[in-house]
Amino acid sequence: MSATSNVQISPALKKKQPYPIYLGGIAASIAASITHPLDLTKVRLQASGDSGMIQSLRKTVRTAGVRGLFDGVSATLFRQMTYSMCRFWAYDESKKILKAGPNSPAWKLATAGAMAGSIAGVVGNPGEILMVRMQGDFAKAPEKRLNYKNCFDGLFRMIREEGVSSLTRGIYPNVIRSMLMNASQLAAYDWSKSILLKTKYFGDNIYCHFTASLFAGTVATTVCSPADVLKSRVMNASGPGSSSTIAVLKKSFKNEGPMFMFKGVMMREQDADFTVRELESDFPTQILNPPGPTRMQFEIIAQCRTTRARVSRMTLAHGTTILPTFMPVATQAAIKGLTPQQTEELGITLLLNNTYHLNLRPGKQVLDAVGGAHVFQGWRKNMLTTVYQDSGGFQMVSLASFSEVTEEGVLFASPFTGEPTMLTPEESMRIQAPIS
């Protein structure tokens, strides 16, 4: 006699079914929506040079309101539903090809992650470009903004205005960054999770997943920061000649040094030499940012969305000035009725000197001998010097009775001695050297 028994398989022994691939994209989209303000700040730190997380967040809220913290969120969701969904699927498939399991060595998991990253980097490149551009757009000067309405408007405009090839802008640093990210993040997650499960402190639950994710995120951020910064800068640029990775790399190294590669990595306040946003302008770089300790730095702090009026911070060799500012006129290296100390106590950070008058009295030789106009007048803060100084042009009007305009320049007769002085553009610049 035979007996038939129903054998029930314990739920714990059942083979775990794989999740649908779209769930990875949805989960990533939810997470990205929550962390979007921080990611927005990271991109602006990397691409536009805001000088720290707190300052960047405050500036965004001050200029665009709380909604400004979610600039470009549609592009972020588009990116997650292409890049993230693809990388989770590709990682699982790559592990199958390599026969990698939970207890596989770290190098095999990292290889699977790199394979997944290379595929996802290509698939998600258009979304990556849109996300970087839309997040960093409001940090630009108004005339340089792209003003995409949403991710689809941005996608169509890119193709229409820049050609289909624009969808591959920055693809090389993006793929490298994606390979590094997935090789370090996904592999670090699987590896750390397996280590945690071997201890008596963790089970396969949310606490284990959170701890493994924290470790994986730390590893991935450190490994990927250089490629991430480079990718953001190449993608944030637009126009001909701006998509060269090598050109962006050279320019960033020249202007900011090697530490530019780690902007935004800790989302902390950085050294001002590397983070103050330089003035976006058509002026030559050597004029706005001369080499050496006198390098000018310029940062827009706030901007009115209606009138476009701006509050800015200008840093020169002798300190920082908030613009707009009240600038006393020390035409002949002195302010009548005030000592330099009293002027400084009033909060003045910028004085104006006049080339023409200082050339007459005390003259270039005296200024050369004492070490320049700062020493001569006992002023420790900034003054308008070199190309920004009052170069004597106004005296063509104010001293019209003592001057004669010629093809070469302006011939002045000294109001003190009557001695003639020819002030040409070249001579004006030569006079300003000892003044500054």
Side-chain angles (χ1 to χ4, degrees):
M1 182 176 180
S2 62
T4 303
S5 61
N6 294 324
V7 179
Q8 293 186 346
I9 300 175
S10 171
L13 298 177
K14 287 183 179 180
K15 184 178 180 181
K16 190 175 181 180
Q17 295 297 316
Y19 292 112
I21 62 171
Y22 63 83
L23 285 183
I26 293 174
S29 297
I30 295 172
S33 299
I34 297 171
T35 61
H36 185 81
L38 294 178
D39 197 49
L40 173 79
T41 304
K42 181 201 72 172
V43 169
R44 290 182 176 176
L45 282 169
Q46 292 174 342
S48 60
D50 287 347
S51 56
M53 182 185 75
I54 301 301
Q55 181 189 16
S56 185
L57 285 169
R58 285 177 177 172
K59 185 169 72 173
T60 299
V61 173
R62 187 166 57 243
T63 56
V66 176
R67 288 182 60 185
L69 294 174
F70 292 89
D71 283 347
V73 70
S74 67
T76 296
L77 297 177
F78 179 76
R79 184 247 188 186
Q80 297 302 334
M81 291 304 293
T82 52
Y83 166 76
S84 291
M85 187 166 64
C86 180
R87 77 183 180 119
F88 292 137
W89 164 81
Y91 183 58
D92 284 339
E93 294 301 315
S94 298
K95 286 197 294 184
K96 292 177 185 178
I97 294 172
L98 297 174
K99 296 181 173 56
N103 298 317
S104 296
W107 69 265
K108 187 173 283 191
L109 295 173
T111 302
M115 291 168 61
S118 63
I119 299 171
V122 174
V123 173
N125 200 69
E128 196 84 36
I129 298 171
L130 289 168
M131 184 186 71
V132 169
R133 287 188 174 187
M134 292 181 70
Q135 288 181 352
D137 206 34
F138 196 74
K140 295 179 180 179
E143 66 276 8
K144 294 182 180 290
R145 292 176 189 167
L146 297 168
N147 296 316
Y148 295 153
K149 296 177 183 178
N150 51 58
C151 61
F152 299 110
D153 175 62
L155 190 65
F156 295 142
R157 280 184 54 190
M158 279 177 61
I159 296 173
R160 185 175 66 248
E161 297 170 7
E162 303 175 50
V164 177
S165 62
S166 65
L167 300 179
T168 63
R169 176 185 287 271
I171 193 168
Y172 297 118
N174 186 42
V175 169
I176 292 172
R177 177 252 185 201
S178 182
M179 291 175 66
L180 292 172
M181 170 65 77
N182 288 278
S184 56
Q185 185 185 53
L186 297 179
Y189 175 81
D190 277 351
W191 178 82
S192 59
K193 181 182 174 183
S194 66
I195 296 298
L196 292 173
L197 290 175
K198 291 176 182 178
T199 69
K200 62 181 181 179
Y201 304 106
F202 290 93
D204 192 0
N205 51 37
I206 190 172
Y207 303 108
C208 176
H209 300 169
F210 178 82
T211 305
S213 297
L214 187 64
F215 174 76
T218 303
V219 172
T221 300
T222 305
V223 171
C224 296
S225 183
D228 200 28
V229 174
L230 192 59
K231 173 216 68 172
S232 294
R233 296 193 174 192
V234 174
M235 290 181 171
N236 199 44
S238 60
S242 60
S243 60
S244 170
T245 303
I246 300 300
V248 172
L249 189 62
K250 286 181 178 179
K251 182 180 178 181
S252 299
F253 263 106
K254 179 180 178 182
N255 292 341
E256 303 170 62
M259 288 304 294
F260 89 90
M261 294 185 293
F262 294 92
K263 272 191 175 180
V265 65
M266 293 294 291
M267 300 289 280
R268 60 177 172 82
E269 293 293 329
Q270 301 283 340
D271 184 90
D273 284 342
F274 300 126
T275 56
V276 177
R277 186 162 79 88
E278 295 176 8
L279 178 62
E280 293 179 342
S281 174
D282 292 330
F283 288 116
T285 303
Q286 64 269 24
I287 292 180
L288 285 178
N289 299 301
T294 60
R295 175 178 176 180
M296 175 184 174
Q297 296 175 326
F298 186 87
E299 177 188 10
I300 297 174
I301 301 173
Q303 179 171 316
C304 175
R305 305 188 77 172
T306 303
T307 66
R308 304 300 186 191
R310 302 187 299 185
V311 177
S312 309
R313 180 186 291 113
M314 178 176 68
T315 302
L316 299 172
H318 292 82
T320 299
T321 295
I322 302 297
L323 303 175
T325 189
F326 172 71
M327 180 177 62
V329 178
T331 297
Q332 299 185 50
I335 298 177
K336 296 178 180 178
L338 290 176
T339 66
Q341 291 74 23
Q342 291 171 328
T343 304
E344 190 172 336
E345 289 171 2
L346 291 172
I348 303 299
T349 59
L350 185 65
L351 291 184
L352 182 141
N353 284 174
N354 183 275
T355 301
Y356 171 78
H357 286 292
L358 291 185
N359 183 47
L360 293 179
R361 295 192 308 188
K364 290 188 292 183
Q365 291 184 341
V366 173
L367 291 172
D368 264 331
V370 300
H374 279 94
V375 179
F376 180 77
Q377 60 192 304
W379 180 245
R380 299 186 301 174
K381 301 291 185 179
N382 292 317
M383 62 178 162
L384 285 184
T385 58
T386 63
V387 296
Y388 306 102
Q389 185 171 4
D390 184 352
S391 59
F394 178 69
Q395 277 62 49
M396 293 172 60
V397 178
S398 64
L399 297 177
S401 58
F402 295 94
S403 65
E404 177 185 349
V405 179
T406 70
E407 289 291 331
E408 190 177 352
V410 183
L411 183 63
F412 288 97
S414 170
F416 308 114
T417 64
E419 182 181 353
T421 299
M422 175 59 75
L423 192 61
T424 65
E426 295 81 8
E427 181 63 17
S428 175
M429 295 299 292
R430 279 193 290 269
I431 296 169
Q432 290 174 64
I435 292 176
S436 62

